[in-house]
Amino acid sequence: MDPAQVLKGMLDTAVLGALRGHRTYGYDLVRHLREQGFAEIADASVYGTLRRLHKAELLTSEIVESETGPPRKYYTLNDAGVAELARSTKTWEEITATMDRILSQEDTS
Amino acid sequence: MSKPHMSAAGAQYLKRVDGLLADIDDDDRASLLADLADQLGELSESELSERLGTPEAFANEYRRSAGLEIPPPPPPRSQSAAIAMTLSALTLPLGLLVLVSFGGQLVFGPFVLAIEWILARISPRPLRITWSLLAGFLAAEIAYLLVATHVVEGAPAVVAGVLAAGLTLLLFERTTRRDADTRSSNDSTAPNTADPAHRR
């Protein structure tokens, strides 16, 4: 199983989860996700996902001047994003619970 | 205020991504480029290709993740050259027709050429259609000029005109090929296209 493919399917949830209670910009989010263990993550996927979630009005953005370069767009989770994260988390928990049951079945053959 | 250091390869990468995503909102593109510039400032040349893939792969992955349409790849270069030559060849008789219709007003030609030249300069790659039209009309101009100014008379004038037109098209074709070869050479030095999802 390719971890990168699995990660693609859950990237929305990972991004929403990483933004819960935090205000951050694209590259900072990439670094954070990598530090959390998603070493296989594609940087472009994170940037694209951020844009899509923002267009879907799950995120709020704010342009902030930077001391080290051009202004940055910082993202935060809005109410719609929090609700979507709750739904995604529930779905994820159901999937992992199901997978746990299947994978923990003893070999009776 | 200090800016993160970026290698020449990094700057080139950034410029290429900027061009590939030129159709998305200025605001989103500027935001992406600011993040990418930070990242490129931290990567060496060898890490750049390993981590991000080619600019094309990066831009396509960004589009895919953002739910944007991924543009079709450009036609093969040999196909582009063939299309360019065909357009030139088709423009030649059209150009002659225009010149004859204007009753030999040769002064009209340079204006058309100037407009076409400007259009050719600003038209996007890889298929510069206006270059083809320019070559075709230029060929027609030369042929018409030879005949109309009576440099040569009768049948030899027609032959000379056709030869001049053919020579112009040949020169254009050689230029097109050289341009394609140069671009092929540049592309072969770029990092290999690979699924960026498989980066480290």
Side-chain angles (χ1 to χ4, degrees):
Chain A
M1 184 168 65
D2 185 350
Q5 290 303 319
V6 179
L7 180 56
K8 275 187 179 179
M10 48 192 264
L11 189 55
D12 284 17
T13 308
V15 168
L16 291 173
L19 284 170
R20 182 174 44 194
H22 297 285
R23 189 185 73 153
T24 190
Y25 60 94
Y27 183 41
D28 202 34
L29 182 63
V30 169
R31 278 191 297 217
H32 175 70
L33 291 172
R34 282 178 177 272
E35 284 166 8
Q36 293 300 310
F38 286 147
E40 298 288 330
I41 205 164
D43 306 53
S45 299
V46 178
Y47 296 133
T49 299
L50 268 177
R51 182 188 192 270
R52 182 167 43 76
L53 295 176
H54 183 239
K55 295 287 179 194
E57 299 182 346
L58 299 177
L59 307 178
T60 305
S61 71
E62 182 187 4
I63 302 292
V64 178
E65 292 297 325
S66 165
E67 290 184 359
T68 57
R72 309 208 169 286
K73 188 184 271 188
Y74 279 75
Y75 296 93
T76 46
L77 216 56
N78 58 23
D79 290 345
V82 170
E84 179 58 31
L85 177 60
R87 276 193 295 273
S88 301
T89 304
K90 187 169 181 294
T91 304
W92 174 248
E93 286 170 352
E94 287 169 0
I95 291 170
T96 51
T98 305
M99 287 301 293
D100 284 346
R101 276 197 303 278
I102 292 171
L103 296 176
S104 63
Q105 283 172 1
E106 289 184 11
D107 186 357
T108 55
S109 61
Chain B
M1 188 165 98
S2 65
K3 289 185 177 180
H5 171 73
M6 192 188 304
S7 65
Q12 195 178 4
Y13 192 100
L14 199 64
K15 190 177 173 189
R16 183 73 182 129
V17 170
D18 188 15
L20 288 165
L21 296 174
D23 57 312
I24 70 169
D25 308 345
D26 288 347
D27 185 35
D28 287 326
R29 197 170 70 255
S31 166
L32 171 67
L33 294 176
D35 282 325
L36 193 54
D38 248 13
Q39 199 166 0
L40 290 168
E42 295 179 4
L43 297 173
S44 68
E45 240 178 277
S46 57
E47 287 173 325
L48 192 151
S49 59
E50 190 190 340
R51 170 80 175 263
L52 299 174
T54 63
E56 288 75 13
F58 183 92
N60 282 346
E61 179 58 24
Y62 176 83
R63 285 179 187 276
R64 192 199 63 73
S65 300
L68 299 169
E69 191 180 342
I70 298 175
R77 297 208 165 88
S78 56
Q79 191 183 337
S80 297
I83 294 171
M85 283 302 294
T86 306
L87 279 171
S88 294
L90 289 174
T91 312
L92 172 56
L94 198 65
L96 281 171
L97 188 66
V98 170
L99 286 167
V100 170
S101 301
F102 276 77
Q105 295 294 316
L106 286 175
V107 70
F108 173 73
F111 286 109
V112 175
L113 285 175
I115 291 167
E116 287 210 14
W117 175 264
I118 292 166
L119 288 174
R121 295 295 297 177
I122 62 172
S123 62
R125 286 185 174 187
L127 182 61
R128 289 189 160 172
I129 292 173
T130 39
W131 278 116
S132 311
L133 302 180
L134 178 67
F137 195 80
L138 187 63
E141 278 268 299
I142 293 171
Y144 187 82
L145 194 66
L146 281 172
V147 176
T149 55
H150 306 290
V151 173
V152 282
E153 298 280 356
V158 176
V159 173
V162 170
L163 281 177
L167 186 64
T168 309
L169 288 177
L170 188 66
L171 284 172
F172 170 72
E173 193 255 351
R174 287 176 67 90
T175 310
T176 305
R177 275 179 191 272
R178 194 169 59 234
D179 186 43
D181 289 345
T182 306
R183 275 185 282 142
S184 295
S185 170
N186 288 341
D187 287 353
S188 67
T189 59
N192 291 332
T193 303
D195 185 354
H198 293 264
R199 301 289 160 213
R200 69 181 164 88

